[in-house]
Amino acid sequence: MDMTRLPERFNFAQHLLDINRAYPERTAYIDDRGRLSYGELHDRARRLASVLLACGLRREERVLLLMQDTSDWPVCFLGCLYAGVVPVAVNTLLTADDYAYMLAHSRARAALVSGALLPVLSAAMAQAPHEVGTLLVSLPVGKLHAGARDLEVAITEAEPLAAAATTLADEPGFWLYSSGSTGKPKGTVHTHGNLWWTAELYGKPVLRLTADDVCFSAAKLYFAYGLGNALTFPLSVGATVVLMAERPTPDATFQRWVQHQPTVFFGAPTGFAGMLASPRLPARMAVSLRMCSSAGEALPAGVAERFKAHFGCDIIDGIGSTEMLHIYLSNRPGDIRYGTTGKPVPGYEVELRGDGGGAVSHGEVGDLYIRGPSAALLYWNNREKTRDTFQGGWVRSGDKYVRDTDGYYTYAGRSDDMLKVSGIYVSPFEVESTLMQHPAVLEAAVIGVPDGEGLTKTKAYVVLKPGQQSDAQALQAFVKERLAPYKYPRLIAFIDELPKTATGKIQRFRLREQEARA
């Protein structure tokens, strides 16, 4: 296929199933229940497509996809695409109120749900108007209420759909909801073609995945990052994927590393730091990792260096977003500078702009804008936010960065997290990364707080490693030795756990709210 363009008519599910048709016995997925071959994936996805159409769903109508990471998730996602209906993949860790909002906002006509999540979805359906007429429940089913069907029975009884829907490359293919950390989550609409672009621009040339790889992602499939890691990229080359329904704790992750011997692991900075702090960290010889990927937040250099010293394995740090679907700025094999987010991924353009909208010079903090073929179409029914983010072909990321003279980009924090101390911008992330270099510190979050005269002072919330001790003066001195003196945290509070989103990102606004109430 021509890398410069996609054909007008393109169905991504058909594309994946067709390129893997030649080796039906090869393992596509390993989950907690067993293995699913590429032949079985092809058959089950087409049967699920038949089930949806038989239930009366029409082209472009939405289907809520609320499922844990088992092989049923890719079957359902690809089955929806194959049928030409639009899966709306949602976070499994939300509340009934959240799902009630998403049901009403997306006007989903059907829902695909894991048995363990049926109670919370049922509560959501009971409290809000919705249009769900078909409810399919994945194992373990338990007790089904009126109108619900066993997904496995439905798939088994259906005939495979003979041909995929003749969708367009630019047609809405699926939705992902943003994290909603600063308001209601936004329904981000992506196309069939966007999935193909991320595989061609990042999965193949940067990660260099092949059919011999075994991929394992701590980020779940309902995240943009996890969707690429555990579906788009590996299935584009015929690789095998390990799925895990439970939370990616260090122990759960280690178990899969040793049992299934993944060659590529996809994680986040918080997870890597937690694993390195675990007394049960496996020995290098016990695993088969050739490379790791990190995204979600910038990876502290110290974490990456300690991981490589232990496992002899690089962590490729990058940044992506729900709006761009996957990573557009990244380190890459053979070109890694720890402490930075690397350089633009070929196929994407990146600009740093100042407050007036003009380009900033090397070494100056600027707002990060991206242009590339995997950008979302819009936020559903939200013109104001759409116009604010999608600007004439460019996407405003909401992140601030600094570019050095060698072309490497270093994260400076979210635009709404930046602090101005004594008239000078201070990046919370820079201070946090420095604090995390201290041997006693596991995690840190930095915010600005007003002093008695209304001036902004930096305050750090610090989580110490188990069994470690330190005090504020020692940590302040540690930062002063490594950063410009005005950047050190004037106040330090020690806490047991930082507030985070379900994706593992630190919620600094929660700390600011706590300060405001104090």
Side-chain angles (χ1 to χ4, degrees):
M1 190 177 293
D2 185 358
M3 261 293 295
T4 62
R5 64 188 297 273
L6 274 168
E8 180 182 6
R9 296 189 180 279
F10 178 76
N11 183 295
F12 186 72
Q14 180 183 28
H15 166 70
L16 284 188
L17 297 177
D18 284 350
I19 62 177
N20 290 298
R21 192 188 295 267
Y23 29 84
E25 300 304 318
R26 181 178 293 169
T27 299
Y29 285 97
I30 304 170
D31 65 10
D32 299 334
R33 301 178 304 187
R35 293 173 178 260
L36 184 77
S37 70
Y38 273 99
E40 290 168 328
L41 176 64
H42 184 276
D43 180 70
R44 289 174 66 81
R46 292 167 59 225
R47 288 176 185 269
L48 189 276
S50 285
V51 171
L52 296 174
L53 296 181
C55 291
L57 271 83
R58 296 174 295 178
R59 285 279 298 275
E60 298 185 20
E61 289 185 323
R62 270 80 62 195
V63 176
L64 193 80
L65 179 55
L66 175 60
M67 302 183 77
Q68 295 172 329
D69 272 25
T70 70
S71 61
D72 283 340
W73 202 105
V75 165
C76 290
F77 184 82
L78 294 175
C80 287
L81 296 182
Y82 199 86
V85 299
V86 178
V88 179
V90 297
N91 192 326
T92 60
L93 302 176
L94 303 180
T95 66
D97 290 343
D98 295 317
Y99 299 132
Y101 169 78
M102 292 172 177
L103 286 170
H105 181 251
S106 68
R107 297 196 294 275
R109 291 284 316 284
L112 301 163
V113 60
S114 293
L117 300 170
L118 180 58
V120 68
L121 180 62
S122 298
M125 293 170 64
Q127 74 178 53
H130 66 84
E131 299 180 24
V132 175
T134 299
L135 182 60
L136 296 170
V137 185
S138 173
L139 294 171
V141 173
K143 183 179 180 181
L144 292 177
H145 58 65
R149 297 173 61 191
D150 185 321
L151 175 67
E152 183 62 30
V153 172
I155 289 177
T156 302
E157 293 179 347
E159 291 295 324
L161 188 64
T166 53
T167 52
L168 305 177
D170 287 338
E171 183 174 319
F174 65 102
W175 292 17
L176 298 172
Y177 271 97
S178 68
S179 61
S181 60
T182 57
K184 288 290 187 183
K186 300 180 288 291
T188 310
V189 181
H190 277 286
T191 69
H192 281 259
N194 287 357
L195 291 159
W196 184 84
W197 281 112
T198 60
E200 296 301 318
L201 296 179
Y202 193 76
K204 294 178 182 178
V206 176
L207 297 176
R208 303 176 186 173
L209 295 180
T210 73
D212 294 328
D213 277 311
V214 177
C215 299
F216 176 35
S217 177
K220 301 299 184 181
L221 280 159
Y222 52 77
F223 297 131
Y225 181 46
L227 179 61
N229 303 340
L231 191 150
T232 311
F233 299 166
L235 268 57
S236 292
V237 297
T240 296
V241 182
V242 176
L243 294 180
M244 177 174 69
E246 64 183 296
R247 290 179 57 247
T249 62
D251 284 351
T253 301
F254 298 156
Q255 179 185 338
R256 273 73 179 184
W257 282 3
V258 174
Q259 181 180 0
H260 299 303
Q261 296 292 301
T263 57
V264 182
F265 174 72
F266 302 87
T270 299
F272 284 113
M275 288 188 287
L276 288 170
S278 171
R280 289 176 290 278
L281 187 69
R284 179 187 297 195
M285 298 302 295
V287 303
S288 298
L289 298 173
R290 69 168 180 85
M291 184 180 68
C292 291
S293 167
S294 180
E297 286 194 311
L299 179 70
V303 172
E305 289 162 355
R306 285 187 285 125
F307 191 92
K308 183 170 184 179
H310 184 85
F311 288 109
C313 171
D314 282 318
I315 301 178
I316 308 299
D317 186 31
I319 183 174
S321 66
T322 303
E323 291 75 13
M324 294 303 297
L325 189 54
H326 213 274
I327 290 172
Y328 48 79
L329 182 63
S330 182
N331 286 274
R332 62 203 71 183
D335 187 11
I336 297 173
R337 185 172 294 185
Y338 287 137
T340 78
T341 316
K343 299 177 180 179
V345 172
Y348 293 92
E349 297 177 68
V350 170
E351 285 187 0
L352 295 183
R353 302 178 185 176
D355 293 340
V360 301
S361 303
H362 294 300
E364 294 184 8
V365 175
D367 292 300
L368 182 69
Y369 285 73
I370 316 100
R371 181 161 62 186
S374 64
L377 294 174
L378 73 157
Y379 297 132
W380 185 258
N381 287 352
N382 196 332
R383 178 177 291 189
E384 180 181 359
K385 290 291 186 181
T386 295
R387 286 179 169 176
D388 187 49
T389 298
F390 303 97
Q391 302 181 2
W394 291 89
V395 175
R396 185 178 68 85
S397 72
D399 295 296
K400 286 188 178 289
Y401 265 83
V402 177
R403 182 184 60 252
D404 66 21
T405 54
D406 293 327
Y408 293 90
Y409 287 72
T410 301
Y411 183 65
R414 292 289 296 174
S415 298
D416 52 3
D417 285 332
M418 289 294 288
L419 306 175
K420 211 164 191 179
V421 180
S422 301
I424 306 173
Y425 274 119
V426 174
S427 163
F429 179 77
E430 183 181 23
V431 182
E432 292 163 4
S433 297
T434 303
L435 283 166
M436 288 177 63
Q437 294 173 26
H438 192 282
V441 176
L442 177 63
E443 293 181 311
V446 172
I447 63 170
V449 297
D451 64 11
E453 299 178 352
L455 301 174
T456 298
K457 303 295 183 185
T458 50
K459 180 172 183 177
Y461 287 82
V462 173
V463 179
L464 296 177
K465 295 177 182 176
Q468 296 290 324
Q469 294 184 341
S470 188
D471 58 37
Q473 289 184 333
L475 295 181
Q476 288 168 332
F478 185 83
V479 173
K480 287 180 182 179
E481 292 173 358
R482 290 159 176 79
L483 297 179
Y486 69 88
K487 296 182 179 181
Y488 85 92
R490 275 29 176 211
L491 301 167
I492 293 182
F494 295 94
I495 58 177
D496 295 330
E497 186 178 8
L498 294 175
K500 297 173 185 173
T501 67
T503 64
K505 295 180 182 179
I506 296 171
Q507 295 178 308
R508 295 176 186 83
F509 76 95
R510 298 287 185 200
L511 298 174
R512 290 193 289 267
E513 291 173 352
Q514 179 179 316
E515 286 291 334
R517 292 193 299 266

